[in-house]
Structures are given as C-alpha cells and as structure tokens.
Amino acid sequence: MRQILAPSVRHALVSVLLASAFAACASPARRGWSAYERGDYSAALEHWLPLAERGDANAQYLVGLMLDTGQGVAIDDAGAARWYRLAADQGHAAAQNNLGLMCFAGEGLARDLEAAASWYERAAAQGFAPAQANLGVLHLHALTMGHDLGRARELLDAAAKQGERTAQRLLGAMLQEGLGGDVDLDGAARWTRKAAEQGDAAACASLARMYLDGEGVTQSDEHAARWARQAAEQGDADARAQLGLMYLHGRGVEVDDERAAHWLGLAAEQGQPLAQHNLALMALKGRGVERDERLAAAWLRRASDSGFAPSQTKLAQMYELGRGVERDEFSALKWYGASAAQGDEVALARQGVLESKLRLSLLEIDRRQPR
C-alpha cells in the first residue's frame, strides 16, 4: 500500500488503511472483518467479492484495497483501480481518495493529476481527512490547476484538526515559513509536535530543529536530542546526522565519539551530505573511527558530488596536498571552482591562487619546449 512520505510529493500523499476504513463501514461487508483480523485474507475476500459484485460500495472498496495491497491475492493495480472506481462512483470517500492516489501515480490507469485532484476534491468535500491532506499537497506543490497556497493551508488545517498526522506536519511547515498566510512559529511548533507525538519521523526531526534553534519553543538541547533520536531510530537521515553531530559536540547528550560516528555513518550511507562531510573529518582526525585519509577522501567525494560546498572545498585541499588521493592540482582547481561558484570565500581565494600558479607553470612548460 502507498505509505505516507517525507520529502517527496508522492510520499506526502495519504492512503487509507483497512482498519480505519471500517470505522464508517455499516454494510454487510463488515462481517468479513473477523476473517481479515485473524489473517485469513482469502476467506475475507471470498466474503467480500460476491457483495462487491452485487454493488455494495464498501465491499467494492475492500476488494480494491486487497488487490492494491496484495493481501489474499496477487497485486493487481488495474483490478484495484476498477473496484475503487465502482465504489468511488457511489460516493465512497476512501475509494475516491485511493483512486486519486492511483491517478497521481499512474498505477492501474494513466497518470492524470487533474483526475487525481478531482477525486480528492470529491472526498474532501465529505470531510474525509486523508483526501483533504492530499488535495492540500497538490495545491502546496502547484500540481493542480488554480493551485493556491491559501487553499492548501485551509485544507491541511481541516485535515490536521481531524488528527491526520501528515497534514499536521505539513501545516506546521507552512506556518513556520509563512506559506499561504502569516508566519506563526507558535502554531508551527504546536502542529509539528502533534504530528511528532503520533510518531511521524519527519515531524520529530523538525521538532528537534525547533528546539535546537528555540523557534516556537523554549530552546532546549535535551529536548532536541530526544526528538532527534525518535526520528533517527525510524531511519530519518537528517535526524541521524543531527543526532550524530549532537554526540560529537555534546549538545543535549554527553560527548561520545563512537555514537557520533555510528549515527553519522548511518546517515552518510543514506546519502546525507552533512553526515558524509563530518564523517570524513572524523576519519581525518581518527576521532571515533580509525584514522584513514583515503576513506575521508571517499566520503568527501560523495558529498561533493551532491553539491555540498564545504566538502568540495575540503576535497580540493586534499587534491592540492595529496592527502588520501594522488596530488592533482587540476582536480583541486575543479573542486575549488565548484565551491567558489556557490559563494565559498575560502574556495574562491584558493581558486585564484591556484589558477595563477598553474598558468605560470604552463607558460614555463611552453617556454622550455624546443622551437
């Protein structure tokens, strides 16, 4: 099943879980629930399919959901979309929402953002929180005609008040940045906390940063470390990097180089450039890990390839001095240039010095060539 996401639009969209769907299910389809609860998905499907074929909207939705998730049957996107559509046409809000998800992703039918928005709109008009959140996401990311940040904020507010945690997190971010209305740091912290308390990893990470900066909350390194750990343990790369740095510098926790290296290493493997950069610095100093200039250069290269300017400057220095890599002033110049283009003043100064040096060297080589 499609899950709630963090940074990308697709994963910010909210699908409906089977258990939550049953809260409003008053049809005969409810009787298949006992089979489903004991894990007998085939029996549940056998009960629901005849009801679906007779036009029961709840049963149609449930059959679609089982085909969507592959419970008791092989995953069949086209079949799921067909059953969702039958239920959606009868006004079933959860089916309308999930059909919108399939239109957005192009799963089981052609990708169509306007169709996705239309289905979300129908479900949102019924007060269905996941659809309100999803329509808000489309407006937030300008993925629908007539996109409107104010409308995004209204929709996310409506969903957040019903306890939808993704909406709570996104509303907090909009309030923090002043998108679609005034900046409201207290409101941003309040909604972010509500999402974090429901276990949303990205919200936990955001709340940790709020506590570090004292933004909307009283500054507290200890609270920051607690929320960063909750996000890090769920696999959030930014939170893992933050927690590693907190162990490295003793913010909210005791200094512990080995734990710093552990969390930075996990984040670095996930491609987090700040973690890669700091893990490289630790390898250069032998702090928390064995001293290894080649490993440091490798981490700097990965961070540099992603455009992280501090790593580009440090990698250039490594090439200029021949530390962990073959000495290569032309490669040094390349990385100084990349960092200087992002405004790094150290890189800009070294770029000028190295360009002058290499120009003179080339002139001297040319002068010595036989005529």
Side-chain angles (χ1 to χ4, degrees):
M1 178 185 292
R2 286 165 285 279
Q3 299 295 319
I4 294 171
L5 122 95
S8 94
V9 177
R10 167 82 182 277
H11 292 137
L13 299 176
V14 184
S15 57
V16 185
L17 298 177
L18 185 57
S20 65
F22 262 91
C25 179
S27 79
R30 191 179 186 91
R31 292 197 295 273
W33 181 239
S34 58
Y36 182 89
E37 277 191 315
R38 65 176 182 267
D40 190 350
Y41 303 128
S42 296
L45 186 59
E46 284 179 15
H47 183 83
W48 289 331
L49 186 57
L51 293 172
E53 290 170 340
R54 291 199 294 269
D56 184 287
N58 282 302
Q60 290 169 341
Y61 165 72
L62 293 168
V63 171
L65 190 60
M66 295 190 80
L67 291 169
D68 191 3
T69 58
Q71 290 180 307
V73 66
I75 289 175
D76 179 355
D77 289 337
R82 183 171 64 86
W83 285 111
Y84 281 153
R85 178 61 188 261
L86 290 170
D89 283 341
Q90 296 192 63
H92 194 287
Q96 291 169 341
N97 179 75
N98 281 11
L99 186 58
L101 289 170
M102 300 193 84
C103 290
F104 180 88
E107 294 178 348
L109 33 68
R111 188 167 194 257
D112 186 337
L113 298 186
E114 290 308 314
S118 176
W119 286 114
Y120 295 149
E121 189 76 62
R122 292 192 196 187
Q126 299 184 58
F128 193 64
Q132 291 171 332
N134 290 337
L135 188 57
V137 169
L138 294 192
H139 279 285
L140 177 61
H141 292 279
L143 294 176
T144 184
M145 291 177 63
H147 65 87
D148 180 346
L149 288 177
R151 175 75 170 137
R153 192 151 151 171
E154 290 174 5
L155 286 160
L156 291 171
D157 181 78
K161 286 175 179 174
Q162 294 189 63
E164 214 307 299
R165 70 180 194 178
T166 300
Q168 292 170 340
R169 167 168 55 81
L170 293 174
L171 178 61
M174 293 192 76
L175 293 170
Q176 187 176 21
E177 298 296 328
L179 298 175
D182 295 334
V183 170
D184 179 358
L185 296 182
D186 291 342
R190 182 174 67 255
W191 284 115
T192 303
R193 179 187 297 279
K194 286 181 179 292
E197 287 173 347
Q198 292 196 66
D200 186 287
C204 292
S206 294
L207 190 58
R209 289 190 293 272
M210 289 177 175
Y211 273 112
L212 276 177
D213 299 334
E215 194 166 86
V217 294
T218 302
Q219 199 283 332
S220 170
D221 287 353
E222 289 73 20
H223 286 320
R226 179 167 67 88
W227 287 111
R229 181 182 301 281
Q230 287 198 35
E233 288 174 348
Q234 294 185 64
D236 187 283
D238 290 339
R240 286 174 165 181
Q242 186 63 68
L243 186 59
L245 291 173
M246 295 182 83
Y247 274 115
L248 191 64
H249 301 297
R251 293 195 63 179
V253 292
E254 294 291 328
V255 171
D256 188 326
D257 290 350
E258 290 186 0
R259 287 186 178 179
H262 168 73
W263 288 112
L264 289 171
L266 290 176
E269 291 290 355
Q270 290 175 264
Q272 215 285 348
L274 180 62
Q276 292 168 338
H277 180 80
N278 281 279
L279 196 60
L281 298 183
M282 294 180 76
L284 282 173
K285 297 175 183 177
R287 184 176 175 183
V289 294
E290 290 187 15
R291 189 173 182 277
D292 187 336
E293 291 188 347
R294 289 188 177 277
L295 180 61
W299 281 121
L300 289 171
R301 178 60 185 260
R302 288 177 65 173
S304 295
D305 285 341
S306 69
F308 193 61
S311 291
Q312 292 172 337
T313 299
K314 190 66 180 178
L315 183 60
Q317 293 169 344
M318 301 275 281
Y319 273 113
E320 191 173 7
L321 299 173
R323 294 187 63 188
V325 291
E326 294 274 339
R327 187 168 181 271
D328 183 345
E329 291 181 324
F330 288 99
S331 290
L333 185 61
K334 167 193 165 183
W335 288 113
Y336 279 136
S339 184
Q342 298 187 61
D344 188 292
E345 294 183 359
V346 172
L348 183 61
R350 287 305 305 163
Q351 180 187 26
V353 170
L354 197 53
E355 281 178 343
S356 297
K357 178 183 176 182
L358 291 173
R359 191 178 300 113
L360 289 172
S361 297
L362 290 171
L363 287 172
E364 180 63 20
I365 291 171
D366 184 65
R367 187 181 67 81
R368 294 184 182 184
Q369 291 296 321
R371 304 296 179 185

